[in-house]
Amino acid sequence: MRLLRLSIRRIFDLAESGLGKVFPPEWNPLLNLGALGFFFYWVVTVSGIYLFIFFETAVHDAFASVEYMTRDQWYAAGVMRSLHRYASDGLIVVVIAHLLREFALDRYRGVRWFSWVTGVPALVLIFVAGITGYWMVWDTLAQYVALVTTEWLDKLPIFGASIARNFFSPDTLESRFFTLMVFMHIAVPLIALVILWVHLQRVTKPRINPPRGLAIGVFVALLALSLVHPATSQGPADLAKVPATVGLDWFYLPLYPLLDRWPGPVTWGASGALLLILLAMPWLPPMRKPAAAVVDLANCNGCTRCFNDCPYSAIIMGNRTDGRPFERQAIVNPALCVGCGICAGSCPTSTPFRTASDLIPGIDLPDHSISALRDAVLAATAPLQGKSRILVFGCEHGSSISNLPPGTSSVSLRCIGQLPPSFIDFVLSKNLADGVVLVGCSENSGHARFGIRWTQARLARARDPHLRARVPAERLRVVWAGRDGRTKLDSALRDFSRELDELLAPPSRAVAERMAKLEEFIRD
Amino acid sequence: MISDAARYVGQAAIYGLLALAIGYFSSRPMVVYFPTDKAQIKFSFAHGAKRVEECRRLAPEEIAKLPPRERRPHTCGRERLPMRVQLLVGDVPIYDDVIQPTGLSRDGPARIYRKFSIAPGRHEITARLRDSNRMEGFDYERRVTIELKAQQNLAIDFSSDQGTFTIR
């Protein structure tokens, strides 16, 4: 499973990197798959409502009404029909890509099982909605879909009467069954929408709208396709004849040729097994979960920063239980905590300058504590030598930070958002290094969702805890590199080192050393 | 560094590729569902065969033994007989099978849904059904001579009410 995951991840990393060359980071389609799914859903919904105005739900009139829309009213209903079809296809593309990407990034196990498991029925319902949609046109493809679907359903011995007999001959065809399909085509997407709402319940601030530029680009592409290659029907259905050759929609019907040819036990067994495997994947095998964040009430004043920054709604603010004169306290739900440490990075007590007491923040990761982080910084910077000493803060999901050039050392975090900005100040003001580099996931693609966003906001002094104003901007670099970004990191380090050399020319260095001595003198 | 113009061209190319893929795979490649040089006979019906135990009038003492609310003049066994079905094209049987009744108590109708592809042209088609406990012969039979065209779907049904095969 791990090998499969890594292989798919490699493909996604390459694709993401390639798309990143032409799209701005926030527009990268691979970083907006879920939001694009919602966008396609709304295009399908709006176009579907318009089409329903002209659609005749009686089986003997359905084809003619669709033909009217396609031919006579090609400029409006015809375009809407094409948008309806192509946006539905786009929905499948982005949903499958979304599923594969979450799998590849290992974001489906542990506490993320809920989003994965609720996504599976939503996916099934999207397929059902699409299949019933093809049925409604009542052309040759619809006849094929009706025959294969009902014959396949009849292979499951749970229905009292044969469903396929509804399509036995022209005489057996009734509008009642057809009306049921129309009802399903409307009801199923609505049920899917409710499930998608549940799907997002454990995600804080989910992105359900793509950036405007990306949405416009995708819509223009769909519109152009609708005008150049309009969706058409494949001749009227005729149950007195057998459809010979049909043009399949391979996004929705890729398994139909197999459903028709393979025995029922095989197709039903394979479908059931696939569904069960998909549902069970978060536990195949279960994730070894890092320890959840822990609140230390003695250092928590209920400021809500961790509550606001947690990407997974794992922290709630509750009434104070220790009698201290604060209104609220942070409470961690271990079942939802992924152990990213973003909460510790947001805590105002997570400052390495603290010497009066032990460095125990109000909230912290037991197995990757802020205190251990300070120790790691001191250990990593102690051996640094050379003209420009650089300390790199990296994360577990970004570029590799091992085997860095001489004069550079590194400290690894769970997520770059775990780094309180005071650590940057600490390193530079204590003259532990001449420059600091933060390395995270590729831009707009944070593994822990908000690690990059909150870090950028903290550095820009737009979100607590701020980076102190005294930290010189020229001694700090940020590299959003992703796992494939080692070349980018090496290049950034070379440039930064050169800039630091110029910046810390002898007079400046002497001043820096004098300042350090002065600080030491004041402290003593 | 890529210029802005090149980036826009690149974006347009990506959108174009997406549109191309969606436009093509939404209806191509085509699949062959049924050969164009064949006709199809669809043989399907649901029919409840005769019961294994025929209905009989209960004796007065048997009625007296029943709880007052369940007393009735007749009793019928639930289980139905299996159904023997045969379909011939000319003299050649293309289907000959015994269909079991449905239901846990085997009291439901026996069902058949089969498709056969045959060469177009003139054919004598015979459908036969035995739904009783007779050992030989059939209870129902219909024979027609029909001119089948390529891709034609000939539906052969059985009407339990009328006791006859319908061919259309």
Side-chain angles (χ1 to χ4, degrees):
Chain A
M1 191 69 93
R2 188 170 178 274
L3 191 65
L4 177 66
R5 206 163 46 226
L6 290 176
S7 307
I8 300 175
R9 176 159 191 170
R10 180 80 188 135
I11 295 169
F12 270 104
D13 284 345
L14 287 172
E16 193 180 308
S17 166
L19 289 171
K21 287 183 169 58
V22 293
F23 285 95
E26 66 275 16
W27 287 15
N28 193 320
L30 284 180
L31 308 182
N32 289 283
L33 291 169
L36 278 175
F38 274 99
F39 177 72
F40 282 127
Y41 183 95
W42 296 125
V43 173
V44 173
T45 302
V46 171
S47 55
I49 290 170
Y50 186 84
L51 293 174
F52 197 65
I53 295 169
F54 302 97
F55 183 69
E56 293 288 344
T57 53
V59 64
H60 298 293
D61 303 322
F63 180 80
S65 70
V66 176
E67 279 299 283
Y68 164 77
M69 289 187 260
T70 309
R71 313 278 174 204
D72 299 1
Q73 214 197 101
W74 65 267
Y75 49 86
V79 171
M80 284 294 192
R81 181 191 179 191
S82 300
L83 284 175
H84 194 67
R85 176 185 290 188
Y86 296 142
S88 307
D89 291 336
L91 177 59
I92 286 292
V93 171
V94 295
V95 166
I96 297 290
H98 178 56
L99 180 143
L100 287 173
R101 187 165 182 269
E102 296 309 295
F103 168 73
L105 295 178
D106 203 3
R107 295 199 295 208
Y108 65 100
R109 299 189 295 161
V111 302
R112 283 151 160 147
W113 71 268
F114 183 82
S115 299
W116 178 272
V117 168
T118 52
V120 173
L123 176 63
V124 172
L125 290 178
I126 289 168
F127 271 104
V128 173
I131 290 165
T132 54
Y134 273 109
W135 202 307
M136 288 169 63
V137 179
W138 204 232
D139 61 350
T140 312
L141 175 61
Q143 184 181 345
Y144 166 82
V145 170
L147 289 171
V148 176
T149 307
T150 53
E151 286 170 5
W152 185 58
L153 288 173
D154 279 347
K155 289 173 184 169
L156 199 64
I158 59 168
F159 299 104
S162 166
I163 309 171
R165 275 186 57 80
N166 286 288
F167 305 95
F168 184 49
S169 73
D171 305 338
T172 57
L173 186 63
E174 289 181 15
S175 281
R176 193 166 174 275
F177 190 81
F178 199 77
T179 307
L180 174 67
M181 283 302 113
V182 177
F183 170 76
M184 281 183 68
H185 189 59
I186 296 168
V188 168
L190 289 175
I191 298 169
L193 188 63
V194 172
I195 295 177
L196 287 172
W197 174 74
V198 176
H199 177 64
L200 298 173
Q201 285 310 294
R202 289 198 178 174
V203 182
T204 308
K205 301 180 183 73
R207 272 188 299 167
I208 57 171
N209 294 313
R212 188 172 296 174
L214 179 63
I216 291 171
V218 169
F219 186 78
V220 168
L222 286 181
L223 189 61
L225 176 62
S226 301
L227 292 168
V228 173
H229 182 61
T232 53
S233 305
Q234 299 184 25
D238 180 4
L239 292 176
K241 289 176 68 179
V242 193
T245 307
V246 282
L248 282 195
D249 182 327
W250 290 92
F251 299 102
Y252 281 93
L253 311 168
L255 300 178
Y256 267 58
L258 300 180
L259 297 186
D260 180 45
R261 287 178 174 85
W262 287 4
V266 174
T267 50
W268 275 109
S271 307
L274 179 65
L275 189 64
L276 282 177
I277 289 170
L278 273 176
L279 288 169
M281 272 181 66
W283 299 277
L284 295 176
M287 180 179 258
R288 274 188 295 172
K289 195 174 160 240
V294 173
V295 175
D296 182 69
L297 283 182
N299 287 287
C300 173
N301 64 5
C303 69
T304 73
R305 287 182 190 174
C306 56
F307 165 74
N308 289 326
D309 280 10
C310 177
Y312 300 100
S313 302
I315 301 170
I316 57 167
M317 300 306 297
N319 291 331
R320 204 76 200 183
T321 57
D322 60 350
R324 295 183 69 210
F326 300 109
E327 195 180 338
R328 291 178 294 180
Q329 67 181 50
I331 299 169
V332 176
N333 180 351
L336 300 183
C337 178
V338 302
C340 64
I342 288 177
C343 52
S346 74
C347 185
T349 59
S350 294
T351 168
F353 289 103
R354 275 172 66 181
T355 51
S357 60
D358 290 340
L359 179 43
I360 302 172
I363 190 165
D364 204 0
L365 297 180
D367 53 358
H368 209 303
S369 68
I370 292 294
S371 174
L373 179 61
R374 182 171 66 180
D375 294 343
V377 166
L378 293 172
T381 52
L384 280 180
Q385 289 180 337
K387 281 168 68 182
S388 50
R389 301 158 300 152
I390 298 173
L391 179 63
V392 176
F393 287 103
C395 75
E396 291 177 356
H397 303 282
S399 164
S400 157
I401 51 170
S402 56
N403 301 320
L404 294 170
T408 309
S409 62
S410 64
V411 172
S412 181
L413 302 131
R414 282 277 168 74
C415 166
I416 202 66
Q418 189 191 0
L419 183 72
S422 53
F423 269 78
I424 302 168
D425 186 19
F426 179 73
V427 170
L428 295 177
S429 65
K430 295 286 185 188
N431 197 25
L432 301 175
D434 300 308
V436 171
V437 175
L438 308 190
V439 188
C441 304
S442 55
E443 201 163 358
N444 216 32
S445 173
H447 188 82
R449 301 191 64 233
F450 296 145
I452 294 175
R453 195 164 147 193
W454 296 159
T455 300
Q456 285 173 322
R458 290 169 189 166
L459 298 184
R461 303 179 181 98
R463 190 179 186 89
D464 284 328
H466 292 179
L467 178 66
R468 287 181 72 175
R470 72 174 182 177
V471 173
E474 64 275 14
R475 296 233 250 150
L476 174 64
R477 280 290 179 279
V478 177
V479 182
W480 305 127
R483 288 166 68 95
D484 268 2
R486 182 56 194 259
T487 312
K488 184 178 177 182
L489 173 62
D490 287 339
S491 166
L493 283 174
R494 274 195 302 276
D495 293 347
F496 189 40
S497 177
R498 196 166 49 246
E499 287 170 30
L500 284 176
D501 283 348
E502 290 168 11
L503 190 71
L504 301 172
S508 303
R509 185 150 210 165
V511 170
E513 281 170 0
R514 277 206 298 277
M515 287 297 293
K517 281 181 183 165
L518 187 61
E519 273 191 14
E520 199 175 328
F521 174 75
I522 293 168
R523 197 171 53 244
D524 294 343
Chain B
M1 282 294 286
I2 303 176
S3 71
D4 281 352
R7 289 171 72 104
Y8 288 130
V9 170
Q11 287 176 31
I14 298 294
Y15 289 131
L17 277 175
L18 176 72
L20 199 67
I22 288 178
Y24 181 75
F25 289 110
S26 72
S27 59
R28 294 289 185 279
M30 310 271 283
V31 292
V32 176
Y33 174 59
F34 191 78
T36 50
D37 59 347
K38 292 280 185 185
Q40 177 174 272
I41 297 175
K42 202 181 269 186
F43 189 41
S44 170
F45 58 89
H47 175 63
K50 303 253 181 333
R51 295 183 190 276
V52 172
E53 185 189 339
E54 293 292 336
C55 293
R56 66 178 177 83
R57 179 171 280 279
L58 288 169
E61 55 273 22
E62 286 177 305
I63 295 174
K65 280 183 192 168
L66 292 171
R69 282 180 303 169
E70 295 177 14
R71 286 177 186 164
R72 57 197 185 279
H74 293 90
T75 184
C76 298
R78 293 183 66 178
E79 187 179 346
R80 291 182 184 277
L81 290 163
M83 187 169 77
R84 171 95 187 271
V85 183
Q86 221 177 44
L87 183 68
L88 296 89
V89 175
D91 295 328
V92 182
I94 58 170
Y95 182 68
D96 187 350
D97 205 357
V98 175
I99 317 291
Q100 299 299 328
T102 55
L104 292 174
S105 302
R106 296 165 56 84
D107 57 342
R111 296 199 177 92
I112 172 175
Y113 184 93
R114 297 295 299 262
K115 297 184 292 185
F116 308 94
S117 60
I118 62 169
R122 195 172 185 78
H123 296 284
E124 184 184 65
I125 294 167
T126 308
R128 293 171 177 160
L129 166 66
R130 181 198 301 163
D131 68 349
S132 65
N133 56 3
R134 65 193 287 173
M135 300 303 291
E136 288 183 4
F138 291 87
D139 298 296
Y140 309 96
E141 177 176 314
R142 181 152 182 211
R143 181 172 299 168
V144 291
T145 301
I146 197 161
E147 183 79 33
L148 285 175
K149 295 176 191 152
Q151 284 182 254
Q152 183 177 343
N153 178 46
L154 182 74
I156 303 179
D157 200 350
F158 181 79
S159 167
S160 300
D161 296 339
Q162 297 168 14
T164 181
F165 283 101
T166 56
I167 298 176
R168 48 194 179 234

